[in-house]
Amino acid sequence: MSNLFDLLVAGLATGAIYALVAVGFTLLWQTSQTINFAQGEFVMLPAFLMLAAMHVGAPFWLAIILGILLSMILLGLAFKMLLVDPMMRHGVLPLAIATMALAIGIKEAVKQFFSAEASPFPSIVPTGDITVLGHVVSLQSIGVLVVAILAVFGLTTLLNRTSLGHQMQAAAQNPTVARIIGVPVERMILLTFLINAFLVALASLLITPIYLAKFSSGEVLGQAAFIAAIVGGFNQVRGAIAGGLLIGVLDNLAAAYISTQYRAAVPMIFLIAVILFRPQGLLGRAEERTV
Amino acid sequence: MKSTLLVGALLTAITTTGAFAQAIKLADVAELSGGGATVGTNWKNGIDLAIEEINAKGGVLGRKLEVTHADSQSNPGVARAQVQKALDAEPYVLLGPGYSGSVKVTAPLAAEAGITQIMGGEAAELTQAGNKFLFRTSFGQQSSMPKVAKYIHDDMKAKTVAVVWVNNDFGRGGRDVVIKELERLGSKVVADLSTEAGQADFAADVGKIKAANPDAVFVYLNEEESARILKELKRQGVTAPLMGETTLIGQKVIELAGDAANGARGHVGLTTDAPVDLIKGFRDRFSKKYNYVPDHNGLKGYLAVYMVKATTEKMGKVDPKAFADTLHGLTIKAADEPGILMDVTFDQNGDIDRQSFLVEVVDGKQVVKQVLPKVK
């Protein structure tokens, strides 16, 4: 059990990334009943936008800014206006299928225009180790964890402590009443899409130095974040955060103490157990459906 | 005059069409996307370069070579469908795939069709099933792993070894042979860790290696995962020497892993850093055409096409049925066919015998430490 601490830190760092991505699932679901099956590809794409900027000579810091801005335009604004809004009137299922098609489209486009091969990606966190409580921990794990926690803390503060956040929550919970009391619902929904785009760009920046920039890297990430969102509670931001951290830690502990061979199965078994015994997720709330 | 010109034009058109129809058609099925995209892309580019060179010099027996590329998506099921589709078009020779798992499920199809398959897979079992139409472009694990185990035992002086491998046909095949050989030589395997293809987080695996405290670590994963585990091994401060095969010290791995690749050693059947003039020439031409240095898969694809050329010229005719019979037992000398790069012999199983190399990554570059002679 000597390396339990290391496993926990590494698991929390990976889990924090899952949490960032999973939060996007819950935000879009709450405000627009959208399940975005391209969420993994949304994390993959910003890294390539940043790489493209660097290829044409931009320094890393500028590439980060450009990448985040472009992500917000493409994965926030354009995604909402060109795909979600037109498809929404046909219902949730056609929209979900459209996002699956979008995932394939993004993957193939990146493969075509960049490369099928993986590329290295610079890290915003310096490589190296520090000693915490007698354990050597990588700065990268700590950095990823801290940035992700700050982002989630910022988001929850925005949602719970500001007027803008309250308007967003009102728009999410009951758009009709929100409109009556003067909340600009459409603008709040757009803001949610932009926040999701910012979060995935941030996740991309944090995780790509570890996962490497590759057109197919969104598959694993999207799946893990989706499981995290369901486990934590699809309709609660705090549930997505808890689910992400839980899946990250569980994956590492399962690999270390159960079997590396069956590590991929453990989160799935956990998911099935949660669906069977607490379908709304660990921190989610049960939703009633009108038939 | 006009009628003469018209007849001339018609004759030219007929001749041209005839020459086009007589092109020798090859079919390639490779990992152009998915986990093996690095493998497949290098393999494909090697094939295209060889065909371009051969056609520029007049083709094979005066006929041009043509190839169609299909994407297996690194998935054996897709590979099988693509190979069936390729065989339906009756190619002269089938090239690929590169992944052993895909070769395993496609080889029976090619054998049933009587079409020779020249592939990149290295799993030991592939050529042990009595398939007379299957040929390697590089060593099988039954040839390479005993050399690896001997190096770990004799040169690294490792009494305890951790073995980490990817859980697919390729990884499992290598793991089985190397463990058997290590134990036969007297080195104890203190950790036997399987990992998944496409795995991103190796913290737990490396934690287990650290806990086992081995004298050496044998790493046998695909390229991208090799890069990730090298980074994690460095991050967690594992100081035991690392030994692998071609996939641990390839150019792409070095590029992806950066500093973490330094010090890693491996046995390679093929490397573009080999101290062989013909290989250096290949490396230069490939780099000029594609703007990057190929890994061993680029060499494999290139050699596959030159195997087709040399065998066909040996026969003196384009005969798909006689092709495999001719290639069995054939020795191709680089002096006669420079495209084959090194003297090579194919045995009755389709296995290959030629020189190989022991390589170490020093300052981000492969450095050949030893040249190992042909086995026979």
Side-chain angles (χ1 to χ4, degrees), chain A residues 204-230:
Chain A
S204 190
L205 185 63
L206 294 173
I207 204 161
T208 312
I210 304 164
Y211 277 45
L212 305 173
K214 189 167 181 190
F215 74 97
S216 58
S217 64
E219 292 166 7
V220 177
L221 200 55
Q223 185 186 323
F226 190 61
I227 292 173
I230 295 175

Side-chain angles (χ1 to χ4, degrees), chain B residues 190-210:
Chain B
V190 290
D192 178 15
L193 304 171
S194 79
T195 65
E196 293 304 313
Q199 185 173 319
D201 187 349
F202 286 94
D205 309 275
V206 173
K208 280 189 168 180
I209 292 170
K210 270 183 91 170

Side-chain angles (χ1 to χ4, degrees), chain B residues 333-345:
Chain B
K333 290 191 175 295
D336 302 331
E337 176 47 78
I340 211 73
L341 306 178
M342 287 185 288
D343 293 355
V344 61
T345 301

Side-chain angles (χ1 to χ4, degrees), chain B residues 297-317:
Chain B
N297 293 293
L299 276 160
K300 285 186 190 177
Y302 185 82
L303 291 171
V305 178
Y306 275 100
M307 284 165 65
V308 172
K309 178 176 185 284
T311 309
T312 307
E313 288 176 347
K314 169 85 176 168
M315 288 191 292
K317 60 182 178 179

Side-chain angles (χ1 to χ4, degrees), chain A residues 3 7 10 14 111 116-120 129 138 141 209-212 214-215 252 255-256 260-261 263, chain B residues 32-35 37 41-42 167 194 196 199-201 203-205 207-208 224 228 231 235 252 255-256:
Chain A
N3 61 348
L7 290 168
T14 312
K111 189 173 85 175
E117 296 190 26
S119 303
D129 300 315
S138 86
S141 292
I210 304 164
Y211 277 45
L212 305 173
K214 189 167 181 190
F215 74 97
N252 260 353
T260 48
Q261 207 156 354
R263 69 185 299 173
Chain B
L32 301 179
S33 66
T41 306
N42 273 283
N167 190 10
S194 79
E196 293 304 313
Q199 185 173 319
D201 187 349
D205 309 275
K208 280 189 168 180
E224 283 157 29
R228 292 186 186 123
K231 284 178 156 190
R235 196 185 71 73
K252 191 68 190 176
E255 181 197 339
L256 295 173

